[in-house]
């Protein structure tokens, strides 16, 4: 997978980087799953024809990319969501946070209404139970004026999971990293609208009503955009 | 920026990880830009109250996340696209590549036609020159039956850049990592359609015609989806 705007990643590779790639190949070849234990250091050292200290360095690189988890005294395991790093698109390094929030919202407009429609079509009993529970949890936190950000992202991610598209659940948490920034900028002024639109999205998905789910998601995003625009004016 | 489906990233942090975060904070506070040199090891060691070997470990972690670039004998620099790693959404670890290609294409349908319309609206002289040049380069490579994948991704990324949305150019190369997989699966059978639709997208953006740019992009994606569906049947 090449990435044209990140030429640095393609620079000549160090020995630990090359070994890290060999370990990735081994995880894939042996179909190791999240939580599975990797072979130990001396085993890997033999199989990959590399010194143990290079193996250790390579494992640190893989841990920093969230591909493996190193448990002191226990061993090294395939990570829960291998390869999904925190802030994978580097939003931390975008200076203009106001524009970032507005632009993330524009991207959410392109993705989330259609995803809600897909979720209404494909959600199974398990998905519906999860979405309903998260909808209530966000509501409770909002009513108690407690921090709802984490649960809010989980709510939108559960909808994304229900779409049964493999890419969408990996994308939505990244795009929804706008939620903390957004709440910071708007100081959580939208809570009545959030409760109502979340509830309508949930009901529509439970009823497998794609059009209503899509419309409710548009409504949710429109309330968000209007508030952002109002804040920008003042 | 939290990421609910990646709890591993939130586990208790090692000393080099904590120092890595301090260095990120320093890059942001001092508004260091891509290509700027970071303070040297002993300077950082003093400022962050950390040993030089911990600083070195932290820099390796930052390099593996493509936040800095270490140039042997010269020093450490802010990376060209800080924080954008290769394969940031971990597609390498999705086993079912056929479904991945189809699902990536579904996401491209949601994003790229609107992005083409935004590009037609906002593209400046410089963008237009770049898109036109890349369109010709892809065309030449296709006619010579050479590998056009890298240039194809650059073409779609240049369109994304022209949208002037901060998020979209970071997203498109990731989504378009489907192009190599797709070409592999379809064995590049679409080249007449690719040449024609790429050219129409380019002309529409040059003419600042948003509707035509959007439609041409839909056409491009429809040809791709039909071929995938045909391949799946056989």
């Amino acid at each position: 997978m090449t990435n044209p705007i990140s030429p640095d990643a393609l620079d000549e590779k160090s020995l630990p980087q090359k070994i890290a790639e060999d370990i990735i190949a081994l995880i894939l070849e042996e179909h190791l799953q999240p939580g599975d234990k990797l072979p130990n250091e001396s085993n890997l050292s033999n199989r990959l024809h590399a010194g143990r200290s290079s193996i250790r360095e390579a494992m640190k690189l893989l841990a920093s990319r969230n591909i493996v988890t190193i448990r002191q005294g226990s061993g090294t395991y395939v990570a829960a969501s291998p390869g999904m790093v925190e802030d994978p698109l580097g939003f931390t390094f975008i200076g203009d946070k106001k524009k970032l929030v507005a632009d993330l919202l524009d991207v959410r407009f392109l993705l989330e209404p259609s995803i809600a429609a897909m979720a209404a079509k494909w959600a199974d009993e398990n998905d519906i139970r999860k979405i309903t529970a998260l909808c209530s949890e966000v509501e409770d936190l909002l009513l108690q004026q407690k921090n709802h950000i984490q649960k809010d992202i989980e709510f939108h991610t559960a909808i994304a999971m229900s779409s049964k598209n493999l890419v969408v659940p990996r994308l939505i948490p990244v795009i929804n990293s706008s939620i903390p920034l957004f709440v910071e900028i708007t100081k959580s002024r939208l809570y009545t609208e959030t409760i109502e639109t979340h509830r309508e999205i949930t009901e529509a998905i439970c009823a497998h009503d794609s059009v209503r789910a899509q419309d409710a998601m548009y409504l949710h995003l429109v309330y968000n955009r209007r508030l952002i625009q109002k804040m920008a004016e003042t």
Side-chain angles (χ1 to χ4, degrees), chain A residues 135 138-145 148 152 182 186-201 216 219-220 223-224 227:
Chain A
C135 180
V138 174
E139 197 169 315
D140 288 347
L141 292 169
L142 279 165
L143 290 172
Q144 297 167 48
Q145 305 205 295
H148 67 291
D152 199 320
F182 181 72
T186 61
K187 296 190 184 69
S188 208
R189 286 208 215 157
L190 267 181
Y191 80 80
T192 315
E193 288 86 347
T194 301
I195 289 173
E196 281 169 11
T197 50
H198 273 192
R199 212 184 287 159
E200 197 184 341
I201 294 164
L219 214 56
H220 181 55
Y223 286 138
N224 278 282
L227 184 61

Side-chain angles (χ1 to χ4, degrees), chain A residues 2-38:
Chain A
T2 51
N3 172 355
I5 64 167
S6 158
D8 288 350
L10 305 171
D11 274 357
E12 34 187 295
K13 288 175 169 137
S14 69
L15 183 62
Q17 276 173 320
K18 282 178 199 147
I19 296 169
E21 282 174 11
D22 290 343
I23 297 171
I24 291 174
L26 184 145
I27 292 171
L28 294 173
E29 276 160 25
E30 310 219 332
H31 301 288
L32 296 183
Q33 299 302 310
D36 283 356
K37 194 171 179 173
L38 272 82

Side-chain angles (χ1 to χ4, degrees), chain A residues 136-231:
Chain A
S136 301
E137 285 180 72
V138 174
E139 197 169 315
D140 288 347
L141 292 169
L142 279 165
L143 290 172
Q144 297 167 48
Q145 305 205 295
K146 287 188 183 158
N147 186 330
H148 67 291
I149 291 173
Q150 183 59 32
K151 288 289 168 192
D152 199 320
I153 297 179
E154 284 178 38
F155 173 73
H156 287 277
T157 304
I159 294 171
M161 296 282 288
S162 312
S163 75
K164 308 303 178 197
N165 177 299
L166 292 174
V167 179
V168 153
R170 290 168 182 252
L171 209 51
I172 288 306
V174 176
I175 302 305
N176 285 0
S177 64
S178 66
I179 294 176
L181 274 171
F182 181 72
V183 171
E184 197 184 299
I185 287 179
T186 61
K187 296 190 184 69
S188 208
R189 286 208 215 157
L190 267 181
Y191 80 80
T192 315
E193 288 86 347
T194 301
I195 289 173
E196 281 169 11
T197 50
H198 273 192
R199 212 184 287 159
E200 197 184 341
I201 294 164
T202 303
E203 283 169 11
I205 292 173
C206 293
H208 298 293
D209 184 338
S210 289
V211 173
R212 195 173 156 221
Q214 179 163 317
D215 283 353
M217 187 64 88
Y218 270 125
L219 214 56
H220 181 55
L221 295 173
V222 168
Y223 286 138
N224 278 282
R225 183 138 74 191
R226 294 231 164 131
L227 184 61
I228 284 194
Q229 285 166 340
K230 207 191 287 172
M231 310 282 304

